Amino acid sequence: MNTPPMMCTSLGVRKGSWTEEEDFLLRKCIQKYGEGKWHLLPARAGLNRCRKSCRLRWLNYLRPHIKRGDFEPDEVDLIFRLHKLLGNRWSLIAGRLPGRTANDVKNYWNTRLLRKLNNKCREISKNEIIRPQTRNFSNAKKNISHWCNNKSMITNSTLDKDDERNKEIVNICDKPTAGETTSSSIDNDGVEWWTSLLENCNEIEEEAAAVRSFDEENKLLPNLLHEENNSPLMRQGESDGWDDFSTVLT
DNA sequence: AATGTACGCAACCGCTCGAAA
DNA sequence: TTTTCGAGCGGTTGCGTACAT
């Protein structure tokens, strides 16, 4: 392994890739003192790194039992489900994937999965002409106070960014279940797409809250993958929109 | 063989949150 | 109650590598 190029900040703190020696020092220090107290770690370990860098290196790379290599289909399934439920809460998602880090999950989502979704959307757009529709907000007044009180609407990063990729995800993820209005059959009053989106936000927030409280009671789901049919989150027969993803990914 | 491009991953940055003073 | 500071998180960037031209 070649020594990576050295970079230092103005304070002389080393940046850039980690060397084997630094890894060794970090590992040794954590074995001795345990995790935490990151601000003390660089001095204890004799590392010329900032505490953030040390923490990240440990969490994403050096920690025992970290799984490397491709994600299994089960894991990809779970990522999709949890992303729909939780949004870009990578640490929460990773918490349900033993051996995977938030950074891994985030990278995987941002590269491979998003591309697959984008490709699918491009295929769709080849065949369907999506015409912009005028939006009549007069009918939406009644919803405004509801929107304003809905924190998830304001802060949910998967929804509030004017980002084409997020829009595509929202379109796919919010593909309605049987009996609901389809996104392609957008209503004529021009409001329903907004309200249904907002309702979804509420649902997602409620489900996320349920996850949190469930976690607190049970301390992490033992193995969601194998128990999902019994899981309160993914009960059989309840459409969570996931079935749609299988087709997207193939 | 050389060059350009796309992709994946590791790492950094800036922000928020919560605890302690 | 306010301020300070450490910890943690998500977004983004940069680099190395694989692949295409």
Side-chain angles (χ1 to χ4, degrees):
Chain A
M1 185 179 169
N2 296 330
T3 306
M6 166 84 115
M7 285 198 301
C8 289
T9 66
S10 57
L11 296 173
V13 178
R14 213 182 114 87
K15 290 170 75 174
S17 300
W18 282 65
T19 63
E20 286 179 12
E21 190 191 351
E22 286 177 311
D23 283 347
F24 174 76
L25 289 172
L26 177 57
R27 205 179 275 123
K28 210 172 102 183
C29 181
I30 289 177
Q31 276 167 5
K32 187 172 177 186
Y33 296 101
E35 284 186 53
K37 306 268 184 190
W38 296 107
H39 60 292
L40 299 175
L41 194 139
R44 281 174 171 171
L47 282 166
N48 191 23
R49 294 271 184 177
C50 71
R51 54 110 187 152
K52 278 185 173 186
S53 187
C54 294
R55 178 181 161 271
L56 216 60
R57 183 65 179 173
W58 173 254
L59 291 180
N60 290 337
Y61 199 81
L62 296 177
R63 208 163 46 158
H65 313 304
I66 286 184
K67 235 195 249 179
R68 304 257 141 223
D70 286 345
F71 281 70
E72 317 247 337
D74 281 353
E75 292 177 306
V76 178
D77 276 4
L78 193 55
I79 291 171
F80 260 109
R81 286 170 185 262
L82 291 171
H83 188 271
K84 179 167 189 290
L85 196 64
L86 302 167
N88 295 358
R89 314 274 277 276
W90 305 118
S91 58
L92 284 177
I93 295 172
R96 286 162 185 74
L97 292 162
R100 300 295 187 183
T101 70
N103 214 30
D104 283 342
V105 175
K106 181 172 58 180
N107 282 335
Y108 190 80
W109 179 269
N110 285 337
T111 56
R112 283 168 256 189
L113 298 187
L114 270 185
R115 192 177 316 120
K116 282 183 180 180
L117 291 179
N118 285 339
N119 289 342
K120 185 68 182 179
C121 287
R122 255 182 245 120
E123 281 175 31
I124 291 167
S125 65
K126 272 189 227 164
N127 302 323
E128 293 178 16
I129 299 169
I130 300 171
R131 284 174 298 172
Q133 303 206 359
T134 55
R135 303 293 175 197
N136 178 0
F137 286 97
S138 61
N139 291 340
K141 278 180 190 166
K142 60 187 174 188
N143 292 315
I144 286 176
S145 62
H146 170 65
W147 299 352
C148 295
N149 292 328
N150 186 349
K151 195 186 170 196
S152 68
M153 172 60 193
I154 298 165
T155 58
N156 191 319
S157 62
T158 63
L159 298 173
D160 64 359
K161 298 229 167 117
D162 187 17
D163 178 329
E164 287 306 314
R165 292 190 304 189
N166 280 337
K167 283 179 196 166
E168 286 165 1
I169 294 167
V170 168
N171 283 340
I172 290 169
C173 293
D174 290 340
K175 192 174 174 182
T177 54
E180 292 179 356
T181 313
T182 65
S183 57
S184 58
S185 64
I186 293 172
D187 55 290
N188 291 326
D189 68 12
V191 170
E192 191 176 330
W193 71 279
W194 262 108
T195 52
S196 64
L197 179 65
L198 293 166
E199 283 161 9
N200 273 336
C201 289
N202 268 344
E203 285 169 17
I204 290 167
E205 197 63 28
E206 284 164 14
E207 288 176 62
V211 171
R212 284 191 289 273
S213 62
F214 184 81
D215 267 359
E216 277 164 23
E217 286 172 23
N218 297 279
K219 295 291 171 199
L220 293 186
L221 302 171
N223 192 337
L224 191 60
L225 281 174
H226 298 106
E227 299 178 13
E228 67 182 37
N229 287 345
N230 299 322
S231 157
L233 300 176
M234 305 294 176
R235 281 184 292 271
Q236 213 168 15
E238 267 186 7
S239 173
D240 51 21
W242 175 242
D243 292 343
D244 305 327
F245 286 127
S246 336
T247 57
V248 169
L249 287 169
T250 50

